[in-house]
Amino acid sequence: MTKQGFDLVLRDAVLATAGDTCRADLGIVDGRIVQIGRGLAPGMCEIDVAGRVVTPGGIDAHCHLDQPMAPPVKLADDFFTGTRSAACGGTTTVIPFAAQRKGATVQAAIDDYHQRAGGRACVDYAFHLILTDPTPTVLAEELPRLIEAGYSSFKLYMTYDALKLSDAQILDVLDVARVHGGMAMIHAENSDCIAWLTRRLEASGRTAPRFHAVSRPMLVEREGAHRAIALSELIDVPILLVHISGGEAVAQIREARAKGLNVYAETCPQYLLLTAADLGTDDSYFGARCVCSPPPRDKSSQEQIWQGLADGLFTVFSSDHSPFNLTGEDGKMPGGQQVAFRHIPNGIPGIETRMPLLYSEGVLAGRISLNRFVELTATQPARAYGLYPRKGTLAIGSDADLVIWEEREFTLANEHLHHAVDYTPYAGMTLRAWPAMTLLRGQVVWDGKRFTGAPGQGKFLPRGLPSLAPPSARKGTRPDWR
């Protein structure tokens, strides 16, 4: 505390972290938490929280913003509209993807993304890397240097022709992760199975959006998860499987955990609240709005995902925000016209709704505890991606990224949201909570009615190594083949 006192005091808050809940005041100086207790000295500014819940600002560790796409497809959200939307939904840190182009360096992708984000981001941000061309130079020189420089996580694809790596390439990257301590995120689906099923469906004229789910049944995710786990076991390195959708993949992760493997997992709101039925019927092309990969599953898988959130199977809860417009020329239904499911851009918006959906349907519905909510949306993402304890918790010295929650019932509509997308798949749902206020480093960026932040307010965050697994587990006994 300075001689002038606190810059800001939150009075009478129910402060929730991943481990504890207490009723106290919270004092902030220079954008950081400096004191927690009862009856704190006055601040230059004060907010009477009046006994409402306060959680750490959310970390959306899987979102796509202003990512280059093959024309005419284009993401609707850039770093301004996407991070504005994040702030209004309680998220104060985002980690989108800097995607390497085949034949180009990873550094070129990072440079491009700094240009896209600089002066536009309204919340703090970092970058995951997407590795599409792990050349010997990338593996031996570029990737180790970038991990050291604060780009300590990277995504590997098992599917999509422009992105996918072979098993041998994945092993090469995992080997670098083991030696240098980075976190590998894996999109686990069997690409050949998907391509084979797609050809068969198209040959028989079955191209409506609902056949997107048929082309990607649970077994292709199950096989991909099993293979990714086996590759990580061979190298003896932790991995994080992203956007897990189905009960069969959940079973693979449980089996790996039972063997003592450091396999972490992420899921998203669409796998809790949508099903394959939302992709419509053969004659319904409005189902394009819910086309994402992996696709939404069935009610049984929903329950298994919820169980995994409750019992600790899942480490991270992200949005996988992929903001394509529904009817624009660059979106899912160009000019409002139907296209075959193979040509529908994969992904749905969700950066603003991620936390309110989980608070409403998880905490207030009694499916998960408030502390587990904090763990999934803030603390564990910070640990997984090298931001803890600066981000992800309420502790002395942590950034004053805060969400004050208002518990009220309302029906969600797209006009409530602040993204640049023309729809939300959750329109018409009854929610029971929304942020009454979001603070980024002690500054109010959402006051419950309007966005009060500004482009350029967000800072780039170089990151440390993941802290989910202790060093002894991450860099233990070297495999016999070394």
Side-chain angles (χ1 to χ4, degrees):
M1 187 171 67
T2 67
K3 292 182 180 180
Q4 292 75 30
F6 300 106
D7 296 334
L8 175 66
V9 174
L10 270 61
R11 296 282 180 195
D12 191 26
V14 176
L15 302 176
T17 67
D20 296 292
T21 305
C22 68
R23 194 155 184 164
D25 304 337
L26 188 149
I28 299 166
V29 173
D30 293 334
R32 300 217 171 192
I33 299 169
V34 297
Q35 194 166 342
I36 299 172
R38 301 301 297 269
L40 296 190
M44 295 179 63
C45 297
E46 301 210 358
I47 297 172
D48 183 3
V49 181
R52 287 179 290 187
V53 168
V54 175
T55 64
I59 299 173
D60 194 342
H62 188 157
C63 55
H64 301 269
L65 300 174
D66 203 11
Q67 189 171 319
M69 299 280 166
V73 175
K74 182 181 179 182
L75 290 177
D77 277 324
D78 61 14
F79 274 85
F80 169 59
T81 61
T83 57
R84 175 185 66 186
S85 185
C88 298
T91 290
T92 51
T93 300
V94 297
I95 314 181
F97 297 89
Q100 178 196 21
R101 296 188 180 187
K102 289 189 176 181
T105 65
V106 184
Q107 186 65 55
I110 291 171
D111 293 343
D112 177 52
Y113 266 74
H114 276 295
Q115 289 186 343
R116 293 169 185 268
R120 300 188 64 76
C122 305
V123 301
D124 289 351
Y125 61 97
F127 300 142
H128 300 299
L129 310 176
I130 292 178
L131 300 179
T132 64
D133 195 6
T135 65
T137 300
V138 167
L139 294 168
E141 300 174 17
E142 203 174 12
L143 189 52
R145 173 177 58 79
L146 290 170
I147 292 172
E148 179 68 22
Y151 304 90
S152 54
S153 55
F154 28 87
K155 187 176 181 182
L156 313 177
Y157 284 85
M158 289 179 155
T159 189
Y160 303 127
D161 288 343
L163 300 170
K164 68 181 180 181
L165 303 183
S166 69
D167 287 0
Q169 289 174 312
I170 292 173
L171 288 170
D172 282 340
V173 176
L174 293 182
D175 193 33
V176 175
R178 187 180 195 279
V179 172
H180 296 278
M183 175 61 77
M185 312 157 68
I186 299 183
H187 177 143
E189 290 183 290
N190 186 300
S191 183
D192 286 344
C193 288
I194 294 166
W196 188 88
L197 287 166
T198 298
R199 289 195 301 269
R200 287 297 182 99
L201 290 165
E202 289 179 335
S204 61
R206 291 175 287 180
T207 60
R210 79 175 186 90
F211 291 106
H212 172 74
V214 179
S215 75
R216 293 176 122 94
M218 271 195 281
L219 73 87
V220 307
E221 184 184 38
R222 180 190 74 204
E223 191 281 334
H226 179 87
R227 184 156 39 98
I229 291 166
L231 298 177
S232 73
E233 184 178 10
L234 178 63
I235 299 297
D236 185 26
V237 66
I239 58 168
L240 194 147
L241 298 174
V242 296
H243 48 51
I244 294 298
S245 67
E248 295 182 15
V250 166
Q252 295 294 316
I253 298 164
R254 289 197 186 279
E255 180 180 344
R257 292 276 186 86
K259 292 171 63 176
L261 302 179
N262 285 316
V263 175
Y264 305 108
E266 166 202 271
T267 195
C268 311
Q270 50 267 40
Y271 307 121
L272 300 173
L273 302 170
L274 303 176
T275 69
D278 290 299
L279 294 174
T281 63
D282 288 6
D283 297 324
S284 170
Y285 280 81
F286 192 59
R289 74 197 193 286
C290 294
V291 168
C292 58
S293 293
R297 304 299 185 184
D298 55 17
K299 290 290 185 181
S300 174
S301 283
Q302 282 185 342
E303 290 306 312
Q304 291 180 72
I305 299 294
W306 275 117
Q307 182 60 42
L309 288 174
D311 66 22
L313 177 81
F314 287 105
T315 307
V316 176
F317 186 76
S318 304
S319 70
D320 195 7
H321 179 72
S322 299
F324 299 104
N325 279 319
L326 185 61
T327 58
E329 292 296 334
D330 52 7
K332 289 174 172 278
M333 296 177 61
Q337 300 300 308
Q338 64 190 39
V339 294
F341 72 84
R342 182 163 61 94
H343 300 295
I344 299 172
N346 277 218
I348 60 177
I351 202 167
E352 188 168 349
T353 50
R354 175 186 70 114
M355 292 182 71
L357 286 170
L358 189 61
Y359 197 105
S360 296
E361 296 299 315
V363 177
L364 298 182
R367 291 184 172 105
I368 62 171
S369 69
L370 177 60
N371 305 109
R372 182 70 175 132
F373 169 84
V374 173
E375 187 175 33
L376 286 162
T377 60
T379 307
Q380 291 288 60
R383 286 179 169 146
Y385 300 120
L387 290 170
Y388 188 85
R390 178 178 178 179
K391 302 289 187 181
T393 192
L394 306 179
I396 306 304
S398 298
D399 283 357
D401 296 348
L402 310 167
V403 186
I404 303 172
W405 288 93
E406 180 180 8
E407 297 181 10
R408 60 182 175 88
E409 190 170 292
F410 68 100
T411 301
L412 182 67
N414 194 54
E415 52 263 34
H416 296 150
L417 305 179
H418 299 80
H419 57 201
V421 193
D422 60 5
Y423 81 103
T424 171
Y426 310 109
M429 283 190 58
T430 299
L431 273 64
R432 293 191 282 167
W434 199 268
M437 195 171 289
T438 304
L439 285 76
L440 172 68
R441 288 179 272 106
Q443 300 296 313
V444 177
V445 291
W446 164 251
D447 68 3
K449 295 182 179 178
R450 62 190 180 91
F451 173 69
T452 57
Q457 190 170 355
K459 293 182 179 180
F460 173 71
L461 304 171
R463 293 173 290 124
L465 299 181
S467 57
L468 288 175
S472 59
R474 187 174 64 244
K475 296 182 179 179
T477 304
R478 295 167 70 88
D480 293 340
W481 47 262
R482 285 181 177 273

